[in-house]
Amino acid sequence: MEYLPLFFDLKDRHILLVGGGDVALRKARLLTRAGARLTVVAHAIDSELAQLLDLHHGVAILGDYRSDLLLGKTLALAATDNDSLNEQVYHDAIAANIPVNVVDNPPLCTFIFPAIVDRSPIVIGISSGGQSPVLARILRSKLESQIPVSFSRLGELVGRLRDKVKARFASVNERRVVWEQVLHGQVAEKVFAGRDQEAEALLLEQIEAGSAKSQTGEVYLVGAGPGDPDLLTFKALRLMQQADVVLYDRLVSDEILELCRRDADMIYVGKKRDNHAVPQHDINQLLIEHAKAGRRVVRLKGGDPFIFGRGGEELEQLKAAGIPFQVVPGVTAASACSTYGGIPLTHRNYAQSVKFVTGQLKNRTTDLNFSEMISPNQTIVFYMGLHTLELLVQGLLDHGKPADTLIAIVSQGTSAQQRVIKGTLRNIVELQQHAQLEAPAIIIVGEVVALQSQLSWFGQDVC
Ligand code: SAH
């Protein structure tokens, strides 16, 4: 190990920072966050840095660096573009036995700054030993995406109740077991869901009971987006990786299923059109049963669970059964297919509003309100409309939408198989007969479709 990571308590410690520019400012921000008192010496001091010093009881010295400024300092930093000055600060600090850092110059450092993931009181420092700060930053961004920002609040809650746990459980081992149960379970999830008071009450209850074992399960209704795993939210991924059971639909892609916890039970409850693999009532029952057995159940749905996803209905049942739940939004097909298809849903010149409409028609008779869809300057997006394309087009024409209105179909949006065709209400049925695009597909109607030829960037267009 080239450097030993240590966490330094800098509260009210005096630090000398030589240099007053951008680089010095960045370091000053970090040091003041840790409560340090800064003395900055430079010929010119950046105005933001000056403000920071004012705010944190720092001292600004406009003028030359002098070695006596090191007296009484805990750390020294040099952040100037004058190499010989930087070197002098280094040698003076060494002579005075003060840890020193010359920014971006590892040979002139007795300590280095790690890349930081700050979820105070939890803090992670990552160092490449000065070999590759970029690599450390890449690792940092990976961790940033995995650790919810609300981890801070969880850390604070645990800190507040630490003494209570200590008093209740004599042995270190017992305490460790309790914390492990608590921090993997509902208490943590409640904090992440912004229900801090409930989390604290539950934690107190569990401390009192001496165990977290009896906790009931929870259901996470998670939007898995349109197919491309890169479009999952951080939160969706985190919950998928904690799941004991996953109930998933047909539209959830294999790549996304791969990202669920390896030993989770995977249950397919997908529905095909006119062919309900598992009736909705049974899905609701399954969710309730698994949660009541204390499991963490992820209900994974394509796109967004609240857009043509029947998510609301499932939650009503969970609520009635007293099962706690969370909902995670996903990128809905309209949004994903329009962006990956190069068709903005709104545009200052073409469309000021957008409507999401189901193309599923009961008994194949038109029960949609087409008269609401014919006015210009709006975009209509039909979900589940591929098999009723002809009826939808006819409905629009019958209600007076011009036959040269532009229309596009985006099939299997965001996947490597994505295909886009575009035409007009007059010829789209024929074009589709020819192209035979497959479900799932979104139909976009409106002038915005004209932009597709300029803005297409992903996958292949058929025509
Ligand atoms: N909750 C989902 C929609 C479910 S309804 C969401 O928010 O996206 C199912 C319909 O969504 C499909 O018939 C199709 O119209 C659309 N759809 C879902 N994924 C799609 C994709 N990758 N490409 C095109 N359309 C998609």
Side-chain angles (χ1 to χ4, degrees), residues 252 259 278 282 317 342 362 366 432:
V252 179
L259 296 174
V278 178
D282 294 4
Q317 300 296 318
K362 287 183 193 129
T366 26
Q432 164 59 2

Side-chain angles (χ1 to χ4, degrees), residues 226 251 302-304 307-309 332-333 337 383-384 410-413 440-442:
L251 283 177
D304 183 281
I307 296 180
F308 303 126
T332 192
C337 295
Y383 285 69
M384 297 171 280
V410 183
S411 146
Q412 299 178 286
I442 277 284

